[in-house]
Amino acid sequence: MKPTSILGRYLTKQIIFNFLAVLLIILGIIFLFEMVERLRRIAGRDDLDIWFAVQLAVARLPKTVEQVFPFVMMIAAMITFWHLSKTNEFVVMRSAGVSIWGFLTPVCLATFVVGVINITLVNPVAADMYNMFETLEQRMETRDPSAMLFSDEGLWIRESIGDDKVMVLQAKDLHQEKGKNLLLRGVSITELNEESKPLRQIEAFAGVLEKGFFDLKDVKIFAAGQPTKHLTGLRYNTVLDVGKIQDNFVEPEAISFWKLPKVIEFYDKSGFAIQRHQMRFWSLVVSPLFLITMVLMAAVFALRPNNRRGGVMFLIVGGIVTGFSAYFLSQVVYAMGTSGNLPVALAVAAPTIIVGSIAVSLLLHLEDG
């Protein structure tokens, strides 16, 4: 069946309408629970009001919705298929010679488009909102209305400064003053050669990250075989900026899909572990296909002739069990990929391949029957 045909457009409208309806209902339920939790946490705080709780709840929504997004699509597909079976529209389509694969083509195409829109348009907005949530959490914990996403335990970061040298920077404390330059205290910079042997060490009482360099104050330079140098100030070139350092403290979920490749490339050159960011990026790339597998699995339970004779309970129970099983499998494999126990490609593709294979096999059996 062509997706542009009258029947194809009808099925596309059905799945999209049901998806939006289920999504709005889930959003409302999640928001209510989030508001209750945030109000409980700010209770007794004179410096926080209900508007702050609303901001926290709204900013937290994308993270929670992303976790249940496959369930939303699966529930929407089950409602769509169940309605078509209940009204005998599915039987009429089959009687007209439409195969189950022709029937599912426009639905799967619409699902794929929804997945693409999610990662290309919705994800950047959701990442910014989750970033805002983490910032608000930081401000609530530190009681500092201008606090940013920087660790109180200091900073450790590594940067390549040549073909055969790297720089390891440590700062005991850092914060951003009124959204301007980043201030570091207790700065220590160690330069290493390709064999990880120290070449020289630079220590400074404080430093400010400007555009393209660190402006260090009260500097001491130590090098083997040379006397210690004392300088009142030193400009140390760097490719770091506030955004890259801030990314070192935020979750991959708070980084936009479009920014992740550059972040991964930077961390890879700097010698940092990149499994979490790679898993995040490629799981987003594969997510439209995973949504399609959830729709196919929904078709297994909903496209049955016995739905008018008590099959609703089978539909509900089977869908819930299948959805949670697929989610549990994806989370286990995701954790194994993040920890490095599985290759990133296998960890990303395995849930989609397994669930999709099972769904296709069952649909082939249903088609033959």
Side-chain angles (χ1 to χ4, degrees):
M1 180 194 305
K2 292 183 179 181
T4 56
S5 64
I6 296 177
L7 190 55
R9 293 198 301 271
Y10 172 74
L11 294 173
T12 300
K13 291 179 181 178
Q14 288 289 316
I15 186 66
I16 292 178
F17 174 81
N18 289 325
F19 167 75
L20 293 176
V22 174
L23 181 62
L24 289 176
I25 293 173
I26 297 297
L27 280 173
I29 295 174
I30 293 175
F31 178 75
L32 289 177
F33 280 100
E34 287 289 343
M35 275 299 298
V36 172
E37 174 63 18
R38 303 309 157 190
L39 290 173
R40 183 190 66 81
R41 292 190 60 185
I42 68 171
R45 292 279 298 271
D46 297 332
D47 56 326
L48 301 176
D49 55 15
I50 190 172
W51 173 241
F52 188 86
V54 171
Q55 292 182 74
L56 275 174
V58 172
R60 186 69 173 80
L61 275 178
K63 170 67 174 177
T64 308
V65 171
E66 182 179 1
Q67 294 176 341
V68 301
F69 200 81
F71 295 104
V72 173
M73 181 56 72
M74 185 176 186
I75 293 172
M78 292 173 69
I79 293 174
T80 301
F81 297 149
W82 176 78
H83 175 75
L84 294 175
S85 296
K86 181 180 179 181
T87 57
N88 288 327
E89 292 177 84
F90 177 63
V91 176
V92 173
M93 295 177 194
R94 295 301 302 275
S95 300
V98 179
S99 69
I100 195 169
W101 304 112
F103 172 83
L104 289 173
T105 297
V107 177
C108 290
L109 181 59
T111 302
F112 183 80
V113 172
V114 169
V116 172
I117 293 175
N118 177 55
I119 64 176
T120 57
L121 299 179
V122 179
N123 174 262
V125 177
D128 289 339
M129 291 182 66
Y130 186 62
N131 193 11
M132 182 178 71
F133 168 78
E134 289 194 318
T135 302
L136 293 174
E137 282 274 307
Q138 181 82 352
R139 292 175 179 177
M140 184 174 64
E141 293 176 1
T142 61
R143 296 178 181 267
D144 181 2
S146 61
M148 297 297 291
L149 286 173
F150 298 116
S151 170
D152 293 333
E153 299 177 358
L155 169 70
W156 282 90
I157 200 163
R158 179 176 173 177
E159 175 190 343
S160 176
I161 56 176
D163 296 334
D164 57 353
K165 289 198 302 183
V166 296
M167 174 271 287
V168 178
L169 181 143
Q170 178 194 9
K172 295 180 180 178
D173 179 55
L174 69 162
H175 65 275
Q176 194 173 17
E177 293 185 334
K178 298 180 180 180
K180 296 182 180 179
N181 295 328
L182 187 66
L183 176 63
L184 302 91
R185 299 185 186 277
V187 181
S188 176
I189 298 176
T190 304
E191 295 180 352
L192 308 172
N193 61 14
E194 57 185 357
E195 297 176 353
S196 298
K197 293 182 179 180
L199 299 175
R200 68 169 181 167
Q201 183 169 338
I202 302 172
E203 294 185 357
F205 173 75
V208 178
L209 177 59
E210 304 279 356
K211 187 175 181 180
F213 64 91
F214 287 105
D215 186 8
L216 304 176
K217 306 295 184 182
D218 192 7
V219 181
K220 296 179 181 179
I221 302 177
F222 305 93
Q226 298 181 13
T228 302
K229 293 182 180 180
H230 295 267
L231 303 174
T232 57
L234 174 68
R235 286 192 173 188
Y236 192 90
N237 294 330
T238 181
V239 297
L240 295 172
D241 56 29
V242 174
K244 290 177 180 176
I245 292 180
Q246 185 172 338
D247 287 343
N248 193 50
F249 296 102
V250 300
E251 297 292 330
E253 289 79 6
I255 303 176
S256 167
F257 170 78
W258 301 108
K259 295 180 180 178
L260 273 171
K262 291 185 178 179
V263 173
I264 293 171
E265 181 182 3
F266 171 76
Y267 281 172
D268 190 28
K269 290 182 179 179
S270 300
F272 289 100
I274 58 175
Q275 282 89 351
R276 293 177 62 208
H277 294 80
Q278 282 184 321
M279 283 294 301
R280 172 63 178 170
F281 176 75
W282 289 111
S283 63
L284 286 174
V285 172
V286 176
S287 61
L289 298 178
F290 186 70
L291 293 179
I292 291 177
T293 64
M294 299 298 283
V295 170
L296 295 178
M297 190 58 72
V300 172
F301 294 96
L303 292 179
R304 289 177 174 271
N306 64 342
N307 282 344
R308 301 186 64 186
R309 299 191 301 271
V312 176
M313 184 58 63
F314 174 79
L315 168 67
I316 296 174
V317 175
I320 292 175
V321 172
T322 303
F324 274 104
S325 299
Y327 177 77
F328 179 76
L329 172 65
S330 64
Q331 291 302 303
V332 170
V333 176
Y334 189 95
M336 295 178 67
T338 302
S339 62
N341 293 323
L342 280 179
V344 172
L346 178 61
V348 169
T352 301
I353 293 175
I354 294 173
V355 177
S357 299
I358 295 174
V360 170
S361 299
L362 293 174
L363 286 173
L364 285 172
H365 177 73
L366 180 64
E367 176 73 0
D368 291 339

